[in-house]
Amino acid sequence: AVAIGLCAAMRLSLKLGRIAVAEVERVERVIAAHALPTRLRTPLSMADLMRAMTRDKKVRGGKLRFVVLAELGRAVTVEDVPSGLAEECWREVGAE
C-alpha cells in the first residue's frame, strides 16, 4: 500500500508541476526493482477510496491534505488539491 501510495503521490506531484516525468519514472523503477507493486492488483472503488481518505491522519479542519514532492528527497503537504486531480492520480495506479 505504501509503494502504491508513493506512486500516486509522484503522479500528483507531476500534475502539480513540482517534479518532472523522468523523476516519476525513476521512482517507479526503483519501487519495481524491489519487487514492490506500482499499481493496485485488485481495483478499489474510487468512492470507497476517497471516503477512506477523509479519515486519514493528514486531514485538518475537514480538508484533505496530500503529501507531494517539492523535489526528489523533499516532501511537503498541500491542501486545496482538486478532487478530480486526486482521482485522476488514483485511476492511474488502478482505482476505478
Side-chain angles (χ1 to χ4, degrees):
V2 173
I4 295 167
L6 177 56
C7 291
M10 293 296 297
R11 290 168 181 277
L12 182 57
S13 302
L14 173 67
K15 291 176 188 315
L16 293 173
R18 294 174 178 257
I19 60 171
V21 69
E23 293 169 312
V24 175
E25 292 169 349
R26 178 180 174 195
V27 169
E28 287 191 357
R29 280 194 309 273
V30 170
I31 291 170
H34 290 337
L36 295 169
T38 58
R39 304 280 179 280
L40 293 167
R41 292 187 182 127
T42 303
L44 295 175
S45 153
M46 184 63 68
D48 289 343
L49 180 59
M50 296 305 281
R51 197 169 23 261
M53 288 177 62
T54 65
R55 295 186 304 270
D56 187 86
K57 65 184 174 233
K58 291 180 294 301
V59 171
R60 296 286 187 271
K63 291 186 179 183
L64 291 177
R65 296 178 352 143
F66 294 85
V67 174
V68 297
L69 292 178
E71 60 186 342
L72 285 183
R74 189 166 70 88
V76 296
T77 55
V78 296
E79 291 181 2
D80 300 325
V81 171
S83 61
L85 191 59
E87 289 177 9
E88 185 179 327
C89 295
W90 282 119
R91 281 190 183 89
E92 289 178 11
V93 296
E96 54 182 34

